[in-house]
C-alpha cells in the first residue's frame, strides 16, 4: 500500500522556498486581513521535501491505467490513442492563454479555428447548422432536445409529448428526454439487434416529438432500415435525433444528415481524439438541419463581408445559452488538429480500420464466448459471458481478471438487453499484435474459467488495489487527502 503523503511528513520539511518579505513598509500580510479571518492554528498539511512530493505523485501516477499504458477496449467510449501533436497545439501559448472576455478583434485566429472546425464537422455529419457550446455528449442531447421542444412550441404542436428510445440506447438518451419533460417510450429490438419496425409503427402517432437513435447502435450494429425509420417518423410529423457520441464507424462513409436525421451531437472527446475520462472537459458539439437552425444556442459564430468573425446574438428563436462562454476551446483545437492531420481520406481510413479491428476480434472470440448477434459489426460488438456464468464465473470477474494481464476491461453489463454483456471496441489505433494478444488472453481466460473458476472469481490478483466498490465510490465521493479528514 502506498503511504499517505501525511504519513511521510516530518516537521519543518518544505517543498517550497518562499521569498522573505523584505518590504518593511508593507509589513506582514496579516496587517491587511481582519482579525477574524486570521488562522489561529497551523493547517495540518503534509510537510515534505520536493523530492518526496515528486516521488509520491509519480508512484501514484504509475498505478493508474490509461490508454498510454495499455489496451483499453472500452465499448461505447472510444478509447483511442490521442496523438501528442494535438496536445502540443492545444498548449501553444497564443491559444491556451486566451481569455474568453478578450474583444473579438483580438481573437480572430481563435474564432477562425472554431469556424473552420464547424465547417468540417457540418460536412462530416451532413448538416447546415452547428453549435460548439455543449460540454459533453449528454449536454449535447439536452441542447438538441430543447431545440426540438422549442420547435414544437413554435409550431403550436402541443400534443407532442413522446420521445421514442430503443432498448439498446445509451442511458443518457431516456434521461435527457425525461429532463426535457418528454415521456419516454421504449422500442423493442428485433433478432438482428436493430429497431423492431412493428414496435416502432405501433408507437407512431401525432404525439411523437422525436426518436433518439444511435447508428451504429450500442450493439455495434448498423440499422439497415434507417431510411424507412426516418420516413415513418417524419410522416407522423416527428423529428429524428442522432446520438453521434461514436462516429468512429462512419466518418467519411455515411452521414446522419443523409440518413434523415434532423439534429445530432458528436463527442469530440471520443471520435476526434481529445482525451477523456475522469470527468474532465469534453465537447458534445450539436449539428442540425435548416428546420432546427433557428433554435440553436446563441451566440452563433458568423463571418461578415469583410471576412471578420463575430458572435451573433441576434436570433429571436434561440433556446439561449447552454454553457458559459463558447464551449471547451482546448478540446476544439485538438479536434481540428486531428481532422486536419487525417484529412478526408484519413478519416475514412480511421473508420474502416476501426470496423476491421472490431470484426477481427469478434470472429476470433465467438467460439469461446457467446455472440448473441452473429452479424457483421461496425466499430464495436457485444459478447455475452453466459457460458462462463454457467461455470459459476460472472462477467464482472472476467473483467477483473483481465486487469491482471494489463488490459483494461471492456464495458460490461451494457447494453442492457444482452445478459452478462461484454462490449468491446478495439479502435483503429491498435496494432495487429495488440489485437492478437487480446484474443490470446481472452482465450486463456475462457480456459481458466473451466479449470479454476475460484481463482478467476477472486481476481484481480496483481493490481495495486483489489475489488473496489465503484458505486459506493461514486455515490459517496471522498476526495480527502487524509484518512482522518472525512470523519
Ligand atoms: C458516451 C456516450 C454518451 C454520453 O456522452 P458523455 O460525454 O459521457 O455525456 C451518449 N451516447 C452514447 C452512445 C455514448 O457512447
Amino acid at each position: 500500500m502506498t503511504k499517505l503523503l501525511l504519513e511521510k511528513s516530518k516537521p519543518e520539511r518544505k517543498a517550497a522556498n518562499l521569498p522573505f518579505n523584505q518590504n518593511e513598509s508593507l509589513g506582514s500580510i496579516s496587517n491587511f486581513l481582519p482579525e477574524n479571518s486570521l488562522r489561529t492554528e497551523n493547517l495540518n498539511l503534509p510537510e515534505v521535501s520536493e523530492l518526496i512530493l515528486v516521488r509520491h505523485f509519480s508512484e501514484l501516477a504509475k498505478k493508474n491505467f490509461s490508454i498510454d499504458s495499455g489496451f483499453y477496449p472500452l465499448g461505447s467510449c472510444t478509447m483511442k490513442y490521442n496523438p501528442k501533436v494535438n496536445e502540443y497545439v492545444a498548449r501553444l501559448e497564443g491559444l491556451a492563454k486566451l481569455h474568453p472576455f478578450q474583444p473579438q478583434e483580438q481573437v480572430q485566429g481563435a474564432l477562425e479555428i472554431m469556424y473552420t472546425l464547424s465547417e468540417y464537422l457540418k460536412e462530416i455529419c451532413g448538416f447546415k447548422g452547428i453549435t460548439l457550446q455543449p460540454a459533453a455528449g449528454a449536454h449535447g442531447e439536452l441542447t438538441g432536445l430543447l431545440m426540438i421542444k422549442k420547435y414544437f412550441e413554435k409550431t403550436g404542436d402541443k400534443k407532442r409529448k413522446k420521445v421514442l428510445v430503443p432498448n439498446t440506447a445509451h442511458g443518457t438518451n431516456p434521461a435527457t428526454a425525461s429532463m426535457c419533460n418528454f415521456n419516454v417510450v421504449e422500442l423493442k429490438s428485433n433478432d438482428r439487434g436493430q429497431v423492431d419496425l412493428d414496435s416502432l409503427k405501433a408507437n407512431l402517432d401525432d404525439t411523437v416529438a422525436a426518436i433518439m437513435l444511435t447508428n451504429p447502435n450500442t450493439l455495434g450494429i448498423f440499422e439497415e432500415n434507417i431510411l424507412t425509420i426516418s420516413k415513418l417518423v417524419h410522416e407522423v410529423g416527428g423529428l429524428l435525433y442522432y446520438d453521434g457520441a461514436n462516429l468512429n464507424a462512419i466518418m467519411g462513409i455515411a452521414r446522419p444528415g443523409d440518413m434523415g436525421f434532423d439534429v445530432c451531437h458528436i463527442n469530440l472527446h471520443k471520435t476526434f481524439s481529445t482525451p477523456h475520462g475522469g470527468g474532465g472537459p469534453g465537447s458534445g458539439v450539436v449539428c442540425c438541419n435548416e428546420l432546427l437552425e433557428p433554435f440553436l444556442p446563441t451566440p452563433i459564430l458568423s463571418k461578415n463581408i469583410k471576412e471578420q468573425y463575430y458572435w451573433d446574438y441576434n436570433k429571436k428563436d434561440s433556446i439561449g445559452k447552454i454553457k458559459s462562454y463558447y464551449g471547451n476551446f482546448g478540446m476544439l483545437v485538438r479536434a481540428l488538429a486531428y481532422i486536419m492531420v487525417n484529412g478526408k481520406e484519413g478519416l475514412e481510413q480511421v473508420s474502416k480500420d476501426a470496423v476491421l479491428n472490431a470484426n477481427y476480434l469478434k470472429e476470433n472470440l465467438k467460439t469461446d464466448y457467446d455472440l448473441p448477434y452473429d452479424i457483421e459489426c461496425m466499430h464495436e460488438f457485444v459478447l455475452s459471458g453466459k457460458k462462463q456464468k454457467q461455470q459459476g464465473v460472472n462477467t464482472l470477474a472476467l473483467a477483473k481478471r483481465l486487469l491482471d494481464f494489463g488490459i483494461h476491461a471492456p464495458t460490461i453489463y451494457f447494453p442492457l438487453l444482452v445478459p452478462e454483456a461484454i462490449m468491446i471496441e478495439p479502435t483503429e489505433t491498435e496494432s495487429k499484435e495488440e489485437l492478437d494478444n487480446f484474443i490470446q488472453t481472452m482465450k486463456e481466460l475462457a480456459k481458466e474459467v473451466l479449470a479454476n473458476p475460484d481463482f478467476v472469481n477472486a481476481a484481480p490478483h496483481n493490481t495495486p488495489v483489489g475489488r473496489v466498490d465503484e458505486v459506493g465510490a461514486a455515490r459517496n465521493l471522498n476526495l480527502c487527502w487524509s484518512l482522518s479528514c472525512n470523519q
Side-chain angles (χ1 to χ4, degrees):
M1 249 329 244
T2 309
K3 278 188 175 176
L4 294 171
L5 197 53
L6 201 61
E7 292 172 308
K8 299 176 183 172
S9 181
K10 283 273 172 340
E12 300 294 312
R13 265 192 194 150
K14 286 190 184 74
N17 222 347
L18 296 178
F20 183 68
N21 181 8
Q22 288 172 329
N23 195 339
E24 287 296 326
S25 61
L26 283 175
S28 155
I29 190 150
S30 58
N31 293 351
F32 298 98
L33 293 172
E35 191 85 16
N36 60 2
S37 299
L38 295 180
R39 208 173 271 293
T40 52
E41 281 165 42
N42 279 335
L43 268 178
N44 185 25
L45 291 173
E47 295 179 86
V48 289
S49 70
E50 180 174 324
L51 182 58
I52 293 174
L53 187 74
V54 167
R55 286 191 181 149
H56 178 78
F57 285 108
S58 301
E59 190 187 341
L60 288 179
K62 276 191 268 177
K63 292 182 177 183
N64 271 338
F65 192 94
S66 74
I67 188 69
D68 287 354
S69 55
F71 186 43
Y72 209 137
L74 195 66
S76 189
C77 287
T78 315
M79 286 290 185
K80 63 168 80 175
Y81 173 67
N82 305 307
K84 297 296 174 252
V85 67
N86 300 356
E87 294 304 312
Y88 169 78
V89 176
R91 282 168 171 74
L92 288 174
E93 238 182 57
L95 299 176
K97 292 200 172 156
L98 288 178
H99 195 282
F101 277 149
Q102 270 175 258
Q104 287 170 21
E105 318 78 78
Q106 284 182 6
V107 293
Q108 285 292 306
L111 297 185
E112 186 177 347
I113 286 175
M114 296 168 92
Y115 195 88
T116 311
L117 175 68
S118 299
E119 293 301 302
Y120 284 140
L121 293 176
K122 285 193 289 188
E123 174 62 25
I124 290 168
C125 294
F127 283 122
K128 280 257 152 55
I130 190 165
T131 175
L132 304 176
Q133 269 182 45
H139 200 198
E141 290 173 35
L142 179 72
T143 308
L145 281 207
L146 287 176
M147 287 162 62
I148 289 176
K149 204 177 159 88
K150 189 97 192 244
Y151 167 79
F152 285 122
E153 272 167 31
K154 193 83 190 164
T155 56
D157 217 343
K158 295 199 174 72
K159 284 185 298 195
R160 306 236 170 227
K161 279 272 161 213
K162 265 199 317 204
V163 168
L164 311 178
V165 180
N167 58 358
T168 49
H170 194 269
T172 50
N173 293 181
T176 302
S178 315
M179 269 186 75
C180 295
N181 243 335
F182 287 114
N183 303 324
V184 178
V185 177
E186 190 176 289
L187 300 182
K188 290 202 194 85
S189 297
N190 63 21
D191 58 6
R192 291 178 66 74
Q194 301 169 32
V195 173
D196 182 82
L197 288 183
D198 292 331
S199 174
L200 173 68
K201 284 178 194 155
N203 286 294
L204 284 179
D205 53 36
D206 61 0
T207 67
V208 172
I211 183 171
M212 296 182 87
L213 274 187
T214 306
N215 194 21
N217 63 30
T218 63
L219 291 167
I221 296 171
F222 194 86
E223 298 281 349
E224 294 160 314
N225 296 316
I226 186 57
L227 294 178
T228 311
I229 294 172
S230 60
K231 186 164 158 279
L232 289 172
V233 174
H234 280 148
E235 268 169 14
V236 296
L239 297 179
L240 283 92
Y241 184 93
Y242 182 85
D243 176 341
N246 266 297
L247 227 51
N248 227 26
I250 63 164
M251 272 185 300
I253 296 168
R255 309 191 305 173
D258 299 337
M259 295 179 208
F261 287 91
D262 298 282
V263 51
C264 81
H265 83 263
I266 345 164
N267 282 15
L268 299 186
H269 52 285
K270 289 182 182 169
T271 314
F272 295 93
S273 93
T274 66
H276 65 114
S283 178
V285 169
V286 168
C287 299
C288 67
N289 60 14
E290 273 165 328
L291 186 75
L292 292 175
E293 209 177 350
F295 308 99
L296 280 167
T298 47
I300 301 285
L301 184 54
S302 310
K303 199 159 49 161
N304 66 20
I305 42 165
K306 289 193 213 142
E307 297 280 304
Q308 288 157 335
Y309 301 98
Y310 67 99
W311 291 112
D312 185 358
Y313 286 85
N314 192 15
K315 301 273 173 196
K316 65 178 183 359
D317 291 328
S318 163
I319 60 164
K321 239 172 174 320
I322 199 86
K323 186 184 179 301
S324 57
Y325 309 120
Y326 318 106
N328 286 326
F329 182 64
M331 307 312 261
L332 308 178
V333 174
R334 289 173 175 90
L336 180 60
Y338 180 74
I339 291 173
M340 292 183 77
V341 164
N342 278 293
K344 187 175 186 305
E345 290 75 25
L347 290 181
E348 189 180 322
Q349 196 61 45
V350 162
S351 294
K352 287 178 175 167
D353 289 345
V355 172
L356 180 65
N357 286 357
N359 278 285
Y360 181 65
L361 292 187
K362 169 174 68 68
E363 288 305 307
N364 276 286
L365 292 175
K366 72 180 186 186
T367 44
D368 301 86
Y369 297 85
D370 184 62
L371 176 66
Y373 299 96
D374 191 359
I375 52 179
E376 196 184 322
C377 70
M378 300 303 283
H379 61 296
E380 63 193 2
F381 64 101
V382 180
L383 297 173
S384 165
K386 236 162 60 179
K387 281 195 234 173
Q388 287 69 27
K389 178 104 185 263
Q390 281 159 9
Q391 302 296 324
V393 176
N394 65 18
T395 295
L396 180 67
L398 297 176
K400 293 295 179 194
R401 182 69 180 126
L402 274 178
L403 305 178
D404 287 335
F405 296 98
I407 292 173
H408 194 283
T411 299
I412 53 171
Y413 298 108
F414 174 74
L416 302 177
L417 83 166
V418 173
E420 301 295 312
I422 308 171
M423 186 190 204
I424 300 171
E425 180 182 1
T427 81
E428 75 286 359
T429 51
E430 295 300 333
S431 65
K432 173 142 186 313
E433 292 75 25
E434 195 63 60
L435 300 180
D436 286 337
N437 178 55
F438 179 64
I439 292 167
Q440 192 61 28
T441 308
M442 287 292 282
K443 285 183 181 294
E444 273 168 31
L445 182 50
K447 282 194 202 121
E448 206 173 47
V449 167
L450 297 173
N452 198 350
D454 290 346
F455 185 72
V456 180
N457 274 330
H461 297 285
N462 45 30
T463 54
V465 281
R467 293 227 182 169
V468 292
D469 174 4
E470 287 109 345
V471 177
R475 293 270 153 86
N476 307 304
L477 195 62
N478 178 5
L479 298 174
C480 270
W481 46 271
S482 110
L483 285 181
S484 56
C485 76
N486 57 341
Q487 277 146 25

